Structures are given as C-alpha cells and as structure tokens.
Amino acid sequence: MSKRAEKENQTPRKAEQQPLVTVLVVWLFLTAVFLLFNLVYLPRYRQQMLAAPESFMQRARWLAKQGERARAKETLREGISLFNPPAPEPYQALASLLDDADSAREKVLTAGRSAFYQLTGTDCSAEKMTALGMLGGAALFPKHYDQALKPLSGALDISWQSFSGALGLSTPPAWGIPERALVFLLAGSAIDFSGNIGTTGVKTPVPLLVYSGGGADSRRGVHLFAGEKDLGRRERGMHIALLDAGSGALLAAACFDVWERREEGQRLFSFLTEAPEGCIGLFAVYDDGAGVVTHDLEEAFLFFGLDRCLMDERKMRVTAIRSSLAAIGVKGAVPGSALQVWSPQWYHGRRGHPVLCAAIPGGKAP
Amino acid sequence: MREQDLFYASVALVSFLAVFMLVPLCRKAALKLGALDQPDQERKVHRRAVPYLGGLSFFLAWLLLLIVFAFAAPHRLLPEFYPLAAGGFLIVLLGVYDDICDLTSKIKLPLELLLCASLYFWGFKSEVLSNPFGGTVYIGGFALVVTALWIAGIMNAVNFADGLDGLAAGLTCICSAVLFFVSFRSGSVFSCTIMAFLFGITLAFLCYNFHPASIFMGDAGALFLGFLLGASTVIERQKGTAVIALSVPVMVMAVPLLDTVLSFMRRLRRARSGRFFTPDREHLHHRLLALGLSQKQVVLSLYAVALGAGILAVLFDRVTSGYKMIVLAAVGAAAFCAVALLRLFESRQQWKREKKQ
C-alpha cells in the first residue's frame, strides 16, 4: 500500500464518530448550491420559456396585462395559426381581445372555435351540435354556399362520417352539407371556394378534398378526393396523389409507411423528387407520417409549397408523430404557399383531431 | 458537422470536463469529512478505505450544464430539465444520507418510489402500453405506478451494479452511448442531451473509478445516474407504446436489470425469515468473483455483455414490429441461458471443492 493510501487510512474517521454532522454538512452544501442554481437558472428559464413559440398564451396574457392589446392579439393569432390548438382557451383569449376594428367573420370564427373545442371536450349531444351550427352557420356560410359545396357533397359526407366517428360527435338530423363544412372549418380545416390552391397561383380544374385522420382517427384514416374518386386507403403512413394541373388527371398515387421503415422514406423521397414540375400534390397522413422523415425528405415536401409549421421536440417540422396533416400543394411552389392544415397529437393534455382541406373550382371566396 | 451534432458533442465535452475537475475536489472533501467506505469481510470487495461522495460531481455537473445552457444556448433549454435537477437534488440528499449513515431499504425504497412517482406530474410518463398480440392498451392513471416502478427499478439496478471498481460507471457509460445512438436516429433531442451528458460524466468518472479506484460514486452517484437513465427513457418515444419503447432501454441495461431481478428473487426467497431488505454478497459480480475471476476480468466481461446487449437493442430498434417480439424472446432466452450457465459453473466449482475436502 502506498504511503498516501496509508495516510488516508489513518485519517480520523469523523463520519464514524459523528455521521449525522457529516451528513448535515454535505446537505447544507448541496442545498446552498441548489438554491444558488435556482437563483441564476430560473429567471433565465422563465424568460426563455416565455419567448418560446409554444408559450404564446402566457406571452399574450403578459402583454395584455401591460396594456398592449394589439400585440397580445397578434401573438394569439400567430400562436393559433402555428399550433392550431385543439383547446378552447386560446380562442377565448383572442375573442376577449377582438374589438370593432376586427372583422365580423373573425369574431364569429373565433367564438365558434372556442365553442367547438368546449363541445369536443365534453359530452356531445345533437342539441349542442345544433346550437354550434346556429352559432356561426349563417355568418360563415351564406345560403348560396349550398350550391358552392355541391361538387364536394359526396366527399364531405364521407369525410364527415370519419371525422364525427373519430371525435364521437352527433349529427343533428336537420344538418346538410354546409353545417358539416362549418364544423370542419371550426376544427381548423380550410376550404377554398374559388379553387385556388393556397397562394401558389394555381387553380384546380377539379374539386379537391383531402382528409387526414392523424393518430386520432386510426380506424378510418384518410380520404383523397380528386372529383368523385377517393384515392386514399386504410393504411398507415403518408398518402400522396399527384394530379395534372391542367386536366386534373391522376398521374400517380401511393402510400408510404414511414413510421419505421427507412427504405419507405427513400421511396417517398424519390416519388416526390421525380414528380413532374407544376403537378398538383395531395398529401394526407394516416396514423403517422413522420417516423423516418429526414431533413432531406422535409425539403422535398417544401418543393410542393408545404411549410414547416408545427413544433416537434422544439424543432419546426412539416409532419410530427401522430399529428394529422392534410395539404394540397403544387410542385415548384414557394414554401408556405400550399393549402395546408394540421392538428397536433396532443396540446396541453387535449387530443388533436382529424383535419380537412379542400379547393372547389368555380366559386368565389366568402 | 451539423449544429445539432456539435451541440451533443459539446454537452458530452462540458460534462466530461466538469466531472474530471470536480471529482478531485469531492475526494478531498470526502477525506476531510471522513466520508470513507471502510472495507469489510462480508460484502465489500475493496481492501482499503476509499472516499465516497464522487457522485456529488454528477449532480454538480448537471447543474453546471443547465447554467451553461441558460447563458450560452437558451434555445436549448427544455422544460423537462428542471424536474431532473429538482428531483436529482432530493435523490442525492437521500444517497448522501445512505452513504454516511446507512439507511435501511425499508425507508429508502418507499422514499425513492415517492420521488420517482412525483415525476409523473412533470410529464414523465407512458400512458399507452403495446399489446404483444397486437394493438395498444391505454393505462391512463396506472402510468403513475409504471413511472415510479420503472425509474426506481433503474436507480436500484445501477446501485446494485456499483459493487466493483468502475462497474456501475462503465455500464452506464455503455448504456448511454447505445441509447444516444437509438435516440439520435429517432431525433429525440431530450434523450440525446441526457445520454450525451451521462456518457461524458461516466467516462470522466472512470478515470478515477476504474480499478484500482481512488473514489467511489456512492449511493448518491449511483441513484442519480439511475434517476437520469430511468426518467429519460420513460418519456414516450415515438408512438407512445411503452412496452416497445421501454424494451430498448431494458435490453441496453440488461446486465444491471438482470442482477436486480435475480436479487429480488433471492430476497423473496429470504422474505419468510424476515430478511427481505438484508443485503447479500450474491450479486452477479460477486458470483463471478467467486468463480475465480479477477476484479478487472469481471468488470471487463460484464462490459462486453452490456455491449452485446446494446448491439442487440440497436438491432431491435431497427427491425419491423413483426420481428421485435422474436428479438425480445431471443434476448429473454439468452438471459435465461446465461444465468443457467453461471449456475452450472458454480455447482461444478462447489463439487470440485467438496471433492478436494
């Protein structure tokens, strides 16, 4: 044994004599260090969390308290468009800040969304659904939209069955297609009545409807309607259909199970990159469309005008595990210009839901 | 190198340097306070008094890393980090008390379970279990029990493995490297950060703790390592199917977990005589030592087994769900065979000894 080791062994064994004192000394030291850590770390952490995109509610509340209503309103609008939160609180907060300067449509839509998310969080009866339909039906969908929605009535009906089944919603007997379309709208979906595919500058020649069940609707999955034909299948993964932008003819349709198979990710990458320039792409996620989605694959989605708009593990992504996503894009469009909607898997303990986006040619925007 | 890769490399490097510099200070403090692990003839393998409190450096390094994040990379701060610091603080207090005053398991275990269960309320949970025969089972509030048992189980597994120089630190180092690889593929920032941290601190600690050790991590260190490993693996991965999600860490930590299961079974057998909480000298490493292997040989062979299990875990993560159950069954069978083989060697040695007498 070395001299040093011998010396160590001869060290007075205070711990044996006064173990509790030793424990207390170490505990005191650790407590002091931890308190100091809290003093330094927590203010920085709070500041950071307040600045994080997902903290838009707290930030808006703080801004409203400071009397900056306009900034609080803008923060809430940004947060809602970024996260499409399936909970009533953000819409309630926004509704309380809207004033005369804001459009009547936004007021009705915000109040309607708040009511819808309250409804899906509780027992949902046909009476409550009727009340919801009456709340914004007239303001958001004037009577002549019965006609405008007609080309999609079959697709909307089928999608409604999937949607209401997944969320356990009752359908009031008197409801027609406009009321169902209204509820889709309140759930964050997007319907373009002029046939424009977002801001890509391309008009669709045929009525298009894309429905994504995400993780919430694992029994019914996806619908990709180009005209009357449903190109979706009941299979897990990312469903894509490519259409000719001039005639609306189907070029290709495929499903990619990107949950766990890397080779599917590569196949999807080839499918997207080999698609002809200018073609229309319909995208819908059934259950999961993000498992093996790499950075390159995300870029390939952006070529269709899609955008990274949801946060997964503090990164903006196009798709996230079990979040629903429905999009209609055009190959070669600017990122962010496509018609794209989504709902998270979870948001503050509340489950996301299926979403839908549609473009109907021959109408005009309400 | 991508920014993300650079970030993980920095986490590992900062953690390594922090522990490398803190351990000598902890050693000095332990010597001054007389917090030494005295050798005995019953359970302990070392032959001279070795200072405890090496584990304090892990906790201090974690706090230091969070402070570095807060100032140098605030956008990297995750809400899950603080609960690990607060929970870790209490765990380390408990470990220090156990190191110096020898806390009985009757008190320690419920306290550990309580602390681990509290993490459930911070979002550390898996509420969906996968059914091996297909589909998933929603366990809801029962996830509280799963969380507490899983984290406390891992903590005790690492603690049990802390019986030979460099064993617990080395096994944790291997586990964290493998789990980092698996998490990196799935893009889990939280898991990758924790694993890079664990890899850095255990590697630095091995510089002092590998045979012959100049410091021990003690219960404070082992429990904290287990706490971080358990908590970071219980958060839902991918589709939130806990059985499949937890299978990877179970396979990676096969060695300490198998030892824990065997220890639990031994204790159950002894429970009738009221000795369930009494420690013994029959852990895997003790049994391998009894077979005539040197301390270094035992540690290195257990590293090799952990590495093998880690490679299997990576394979498991790569195969499709159809093959996952087959791989799980194969791992279970391999563990069973390993225990049977160990028993066979032990009985052969016993027989030889009896023959000599």
Side-chain angles (χ1 to χ4, degrees), chain B residues 267-297:
Chain B
R267 283 168 185 237
L268 273 186
R269 276 205 302 270
R270 293 200 308 247
R272 277 187 193 168
S273 50
R275 291 187 300 132
F276 182 84
F277 291 105
T278 318
D280 58 26
R281 205 191 148 110
E282 285 182 63
H283 286 289
L284 276 180
H285 50 269
H286 288 133
R287 290 164 74 174
L288 288 169
L289 280 175
L291 281 177
L293 269 72
S294 71
Q295 216 185 123
K296 249 186 194 166
Q297 283 171 331

Side-chain angles (χ1 to χ4, degrees), chain A:
Chain A
M1 196 184 285
S2 69
K3 272 188 181 174
R4 193 176 164 187
E6 275 176 29
K7 202 179 162 192
E8 278 168 11
N9 279 351
Q10 286 160 9
T11 311
R13 291 168 193 172
K14 286 181 197 165
E16 283 182 6
Q17 293 153 13
Q18 298 166 313
L20 268 178
V21 175
T22 313
V23 169
L24 276 177
V25 169
V26 181
W27 275 19
L28 265 175
F29 167 73
L30 286 172
T31 310
V33 170
F34 190 60
L35 283 176
L36 197 68
F37 163 79
N38 280 324
L39 279 177
V40 179
Y41 179 79
L42 285 182
R44 296 284 300 187
Y45 172 75
R46 270 199 209 107
Q47 202 181 336
Q48 181 59 26
M49 286 302 124
L50 200 65
E54 67 268 29
S55 307
F56 71 94
M57 279 285 284
Q58 289 99 306
R59 204 161 52 246
R61 233 175 263 147
W62 183 80
L63 285 167
K65 239 185 210 172
Q66 305 296 312
E68 298 193 47
R69 286 174 66 90
R71 279 184 66 196
K73 210 158 44 178
E74 212 38 56
T75 304
L76 282 168
R77 280 184 186 133
E78 272 171 27
I80 286 170
S81 77
L82 198 60
F83 292 100
N84 202 7
E89 293 82 8
Y91 306 97
Q92 278 167 357
L94 181 58
S96 70
L97 290 171
L98 292 175
D99 47 38
D100 295 343
D102 300 299
S103 72
R105 184 181 162 78
E106 188 184 10
K107 284 180 196 162
V108 175
L109 195 61
T110 309
R113 284 192 170 171
S114 166
F116 171 73
Y117 290 118
Q118 269 171 351
L119 191 68
T120 51
T122 57
D123 292 332
C124 172
S125 63
E127 290 77 33
K128 283 182 184 172
M129 286 295 283
T130 306
L132 179 75
M134 285 168 69
L135 181 74
L140 295 168
F141 284 105
K143 284 286 174 212
H144 69 272
Y145 281 98
D146 270 13
Q147 294 304 313
L149 285 164
K150 228 172 196 174
L152 276 179
S153 57
L156 272 168
D157 189 40
I158 291 170
S159 302
W160 175 260
Q161 286 169 28
S162 300
F163 179 80
S164 58
L167 295 179
L169 302 174
S170 313
T171 310
W175 270 23
I177 293 300
E179 286 81 2
R180 295 173 194 200
L182 165 78
V183 174
F184 274 125
L185 196 68
L186 296 180
S189 300
I191 302 172
D192 192 300
F193 289 91
S194 53
N196 284 324
I197 299 176
T199 53
T200 57
V202 176
K203 275 195 178 207
T204 173
V206 288
L208 301 175
L209 184 146
V210 182
Y211 167 91
S212 162
D217 185 7
S218 52
R219 283 173 301 154
R220 295 168 184 84
V222 299
H223 303 294
L224 287 100
F225 281 97
E228 296 290 308
K229 201 174 174 197
D230 188 356
L231 304 165
R233 298 200 299 263
R234 286 173 61 178
E235 279 176 32
R236 179 178 65 197
M238 172 65 83
H239 292 248
I240 304 175
L242 301 177
L243 309 174
D244 182 76
S247 63
L250 179 68
L251 300 174
C255 170
F256 304 87
D257 182 5
V258 287
W259 175 46
E260 56 181 356
R261 291 170 61 195
R262 293 202 140 210
E263 57 272 29
E264 281 287 276
Q266 281 152 8
R267 196 167 72 86
L268 172 56
F269 183 73
S270 308
F271 185 81
L272 292 176
T273 48
E274 286 164 16
E277 203 71 14
C279 71
I280 297 172
L282 311 182
F283 302 84
V285 166
Y286 173 10
D287 186 26
D288 175 32
V292 297
V293 173
T294 57
H295 184 70
D296 291 343
L297 201 41
E298 288 245 310
E299 292 285 332
F301 284 123
L302 301 193
F303 284 133
F304 275 83
L306 273 67
D307 201 5
R308 294 188 177 98
C309 62
L310 58 98
M311 189 167 265
D312 184 36
E313 292 253 19
R314 298 191 61 77
K315 273 196 301 191
M316 300 306 285
R317 304 275 304 263
V318 173
T319 57
I321 302 288
R322 281 204 157 176
S323 294
S324 53
L325 171 86
I328 306 174
V330 176
K331 177 85 183 272
V334 181
S337 60
L339 206 56
Q340 179 181 345
V341 288
W342 74 284
S343 182
Q345 188 195 354
W346 292 100
Y347 175 83
H348 289 203
R350 297 212 21 154
R351 191 146 201 190
H353 49 68
V355 289
L356 169 151
C357 68
I360 315 169
K364 58 175 184 164

Side-chain angles (χ1 to χ4, degrees), chain B residues 25 49 53 121 183 225 264 279 300:
Chain B
L25 299 178
L53 306 185
F121 302 101
S183 310
L225 287 183
F264 184 73
L300 290 175

Side-chain angles (χ1 to χ4, degrees), chain B residues 47 141 165 291 350:
Chain B
R47 290 186 189 137
D165 293 353
L291 281 177
Q350 178 88 11

